[in-house]
């Protein structure tokens, strides 16, 4: 197959391909559809590092027994609006929505719902989960810890993951406010994209194994580390370190999952550390019913005013003020219309899966 640098594919074809891949690995029709839903949203929103690009990574985890295609997900502890879920080694693409649905159910009864998840795996983009609350007119909150790739301020050790945080807030006539961010300067996925394109990266994204600044996107393969949000200490990197630590405590310590250096790696060729203090990767979810604070219609009017005020503020020359989530909403509309671009390396991964499973390619 001759492949150009980027291939455009129809979103529905790509979604169907991913669903069939998961079904071939033993997922139920319902769970396979759920997994494909999470990944396709990432591709549509322009988060290319977390959509179909992750598909082969999930299948490798399944092949080596690090992920469970048929998990018995259950609530193991609860008190009013709070609960903890044991994901039974399932993919976070399944365990995350399970927990978010439970948080939404408790919000209907208590006004909010708070769920911690242990014994899980990578759960895709945070925004998929928070947007489940958005669809019901609620505020949604999600975070997850991840395999240790980042160093705390002044450390050379990799102890924290990219540990993203997301909040989705509804508006009225304006698009919703969706802040979905890593607590490192960048996500590992952006390094992978730069590496595939043969590009160097800005100073402040990573450090070498010796703790020195680096512009090499492959630095993590040489025992280097991501830097916390803000980069070096002089640029307030300690604040990003604090945010990443908060995520690790809520998702790992509070849930019963692993935390810090014990969070299992996403790549299957690296074995999880022995004598780990918990099980799998951890997540944390929250939902707030706005009606507990003020009438929803009034809140949406006020959010519209907030958004318009910030969007219409005086911008520096040649720029415009962007609301969190605005670029992703625009990408979603464009990619639904024009198709999803797939990089050559990712296309080759999908081609290998199609041959292995005897599936038609989505492009």
């Amino acid at each position: 197959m001759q492949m150009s640098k980027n291939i455009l594919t129809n979103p529905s074809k790509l979604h169907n391909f991913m669903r069939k891949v998961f079904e071939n690995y033993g997922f139920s029709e319902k769970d396979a559809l759920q997994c494909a839903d999470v990944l396709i949203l990432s591709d549509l929103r322009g988060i290319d590092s977390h959509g179909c690009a992750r598909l082969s990574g999930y299948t490798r985890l399944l092949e080596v027994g690090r992920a469970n295609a048929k998990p018995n997900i259950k609530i193991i502890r609860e008190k009013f609006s709070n609960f903890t879920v044991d994901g039974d080694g399932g993919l976070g693409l399944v365990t995350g929505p399970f927990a978010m649905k439970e948080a939404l159910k408790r919000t209907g009864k208590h006004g909010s719902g708070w769920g911690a998840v242990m014994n899980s795996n990578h759960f895709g983009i945070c925004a998929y989960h928070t947007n489940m609350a958005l669809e019901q007119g609620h505020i949604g909150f999600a975070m997850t810890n991840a395999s240790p790739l980042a160093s705390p301020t002044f450390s050379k050790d990799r102890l924290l993951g990219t540990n993203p945080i997301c909040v989705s807030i509804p508006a009225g006539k304006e698009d919703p406010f969706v802040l979905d961010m890593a607590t490192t300067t960048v996500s590992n996925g952006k390094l992978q994209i730069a590496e595939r394109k043969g590009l160097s990266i800005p100073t402040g994204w990573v450090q070498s194994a010796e703790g020195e600044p680096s512009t090499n996107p492959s630095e993590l393969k040489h025992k280097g580390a991501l830097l916390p949000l803000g980069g070096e200490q002089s640029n307030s990197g300690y604040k990003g370190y604090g945010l990443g630590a908060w995520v690790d405590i809520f998702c790992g310590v509070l849930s019963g999952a692993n935390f810090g250096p014990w969070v299992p790696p996403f790549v299957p060729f690296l074995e999880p550390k022995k004598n780990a203090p918990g099980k799998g990767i951890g997540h944390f979810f929250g939902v707030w019913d706005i009606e507990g604070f003020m009438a929803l219609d009034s809140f949406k009017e006020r959010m519209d005013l907030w958004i318009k005020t910030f969007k219409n503020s005086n911008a520096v020359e040649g720029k415009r003020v962007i609301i969190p989530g605005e670029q992703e909403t625009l990408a979603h509309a464009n990619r639904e219309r024009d198709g999803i671009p797939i990089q050559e390396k990712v296309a080759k991964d999908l081609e290998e899966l199609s041959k292995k499973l005897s599936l038609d390619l989505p492009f």
Side-chain angles (χ1 to χ4, degrees):
M1 181 182 71
Q2 288 293 111
M3 290 182 292
S4 59
K5 199 162 189 178
N6 279 307
I7 299 169
L8 278 179
T9 184
N10 179 277
S12 63
K13 287 184 178 180
L14 181 59
H15 179 273
N16 191 50
F17 176 81
M18 293 192 288
R19 177 184 61 80
K20 288 181 178 179
V21 168
F22 286 112
E23 287 179 351
N24 270 269
Y25 275 87
F27 284 70
S28 67
E29 184 178 343
K30 177 184 176 184
D31 285 352
L33 181 62
Q34 175 66 82
C35 291
D37 284 349
V38 179
L39 297 186
I40 200 67
L41 183 67
S42 179
D43 285 318
L44 285 168
R45 289 175 68 81
I47 316 299
D48 296 327
S49 57
H50 282 59
C52 64
R54 291 271 177 172
L55 185 60
S56 61
Y58 290 123
T59 61
R60 293 186 193 111
L61 287 177
L62 291 159
E63 287 169 359
V64 300
R66 290 259 311 278
N68 184 359
K70 296 184 181 297
N72 178 24
I73 306 170
K74 57 187 178 182
I75 296 169
I76 57 173
R77 189 178 180 92
E78 59 185 316
K79 187 173 183 179
F80 305 117
S81 62
N82 303 336
F83 62 95
T84 300
V85 169
D86 183 337
D88 193 30
L91 291 183
L93 307 175
V94 177
T95 62
F98 175 96
M100 200 62 179
K101 287 173 186 175
E102 182 63 28
L104 284 162
K105 186 190 303 180
R106 291 175 189 244
T107 299
K109 184 175 182 180
H110 301 290
S112 66
W114 301 94
V117 180
M118 49 113 54
N119 201 7
S120 184
N121 279 283
H122 192 278
F123 78 171
I125 56 169
C126 283
Y128 178 88
H129 310 285
T130 58
N131 284 0
M132 291 172 66
L134 199 63
E135 290 166 4
Q136 296 190 28
H138 300 319
I139 295 172
F141 177 79
M143 52 169 63
T144 183
N145 65 5
S147 52
L149 297 173
S151 294
T153 304
F154 299 134
S155 176
K156 292 189 288 185
D157 293 335
R158 303 202 305 201
L159 294 174
L160 292 169
T162 54
N163 292 9
I165 298 171
C166 183
V167 62
S168 291
I169 305 173
K173 296 178 181 178
E174 299 293 326
D175 291 324
F177 177 106
V178 181
L179 174 66
D180 190 352
M181 53 170 265
T183 54
T184 47
T185 301
V186 292
S187 67
N188 184 33
K190 288 192 177 179
L191 297 185
Q192 293 169 342
I193 291 171
E195 188 176 23
R196 290 185 198 119
K197 293 181 176 180
L199 303 175
S200 61
I201 56 174
T203 301
W205 285 19
V206 300
Q207 66 181 21
S208 69
E210 293 72 36
E212 298 297 325
S214 173
T215 60
N216 181 4
S218 303
E219 200 66 69
L220 298 188
K221 295 178 180 178
H222 305 293
K223 299 184 179 181
L226 291 169
L227 289 172
L229 186 63
E232 298 174 356
Q233 190 270 346
S234 59
N235 289 323
S236 300
Y238 59 90
K239 295 179 182 179
Y241 164 38
L243 288 172
W246 168 37
V247 174
D248 202 36
I249 292 167
F250 269 44
C251 296
V253 179
L254 184 63
S255 71
N258 289 302
F259 49 84
W262 294 284
V263 178
F266 182 73
V267 290
F269 55 82
L270 293 177
E271 287 291 326
K273 287 182 179 290
K274 295 180 180 178
N275 302 315
K279 291 184 178 181
I281 286 175
H283 321 304
F284 188 83
F285 302 96
V287 178
W288 290 274
D289 185 342
I290 293 166
E291 290 282 357
F293 302 97
M294 66 165 54
L296 179 59
D297 287 345
S298 296
F299 176 80
K300 286 182 174 181
E301 287 179 7
R302 291 172 63 79
M303 273 305 297
D304 280 351
L305 177 59
W306 189 96
I307 290 168
K308 286 186 285 188
T309 299
F310 278 74
K311 284 179 70 172
N312 296 329
S313 62
N314 290 320
V316 299
E317 187 175 352
K319 302 291 184 180
R320 67 184 184 88
V321 179
I322 297 171
I323 303 302
E326 184 179 351
Q327 290 175 301
E328 291 84 352
T329 298
L330 180 61
H332 193 148
N334 290 340
R335 290 185 172 198
E336 266 195 330
R337 182 189 65 237
D338 303 329
I340 294 170
I342 299 178
Q343 291 178 359
E344 184 176 4
K345 169 69 167 61
V346 176
K348 287 179 178 177
D349 286 345
L350 298 183
E351 183 183 17
E352 287 177 11
L353 278 171
S354 73
K355 289 179 179 178
K356 182 189 296 186
L357 303 175
S358 299
L359 297 174
D360 291 334
L361 276 168
F363 42 79

